Amino acid sequence: MHKNISGTMFYSLLFAMGGAPTIAMLIIHAQTQDPVVINNALLGLSVIIACILVPLILIQNAFLFLKRKSETLEKKIKPLCQLYLGLNAACLVYWLCIQFL
């Protein structure tokens, strides 16, 4: 499998797992600063977002797996691989800020 296609598949799955709670926390923080409400809403909202995000990522990765030997797709997918890597880094920075600031 080509480097960019496999990287995109890995980073997108990583984002599907970590992105749902991050998006949920962003939505909750926009609504309230009450810690009780945040704790109660985080799990439910994370599951709802994951139920949308994970199937989309799995469909994308199934397509990439089927086309994994395509040289043209390998060249076209590089920006998407970098986008997912950037999203994962942003999620990590966000959670570190939540924990330590």
Side-chain angles (χ1 to χ4, degrees):
M1 195 174 309
H2 296 293
K3 177 186 167 214
N4 291 330
I5 292 175
S6 61
T8 301
M9 291 172 72
F10 175 73
Y11 294 142
S12 65
L13 285 173
L14 193 61
F15 176 70
M17 291 183 287
T22 304
I23 295 168
M25 186 60 90
L26 287 169
I27 292 170
I28 294 167
H29 268 294
Q31 301 294 319
T32 183
Q33 293 295 326
D34 184 17
V36 175
V37 174
I38 290 173
N39 291 335
N40 291 335
L42 181 61
L43 182 62
L45 195 54
S46 295
V47 169
I48 290 170
I49 294 170
C51 287
I52 296 168
L53 192 61
V54 170
L56 290 175
I57 297 294
L58 289 176
I59 291 168
Q60 170 203 293
N61 286 349
F63 175 77
L64 290 175
F65 184 74
L66 291 174
K67 302 287 185 175
R68 67 186 178 272
K69 295 183 182 180
S70 172
E71 289 292 330
T72 57
L73 182 63
E74 172 69 12
K75 293 174 185 168
K76 289 180 183 178
I77 203 79
K78 187 174 182 180
L80 188 60
C81 182
Q82 294 171 344
L83 173 72
Y84 278 124
L85 179 60
L87 286 171
N88 287 328
C91 289
L92 177 63
V93 168
Y94 177 77
W95 284 105
L96 289 173
C97 290
I98 291 288
Q99 286 291 9
F100 298 112
L101 296 180

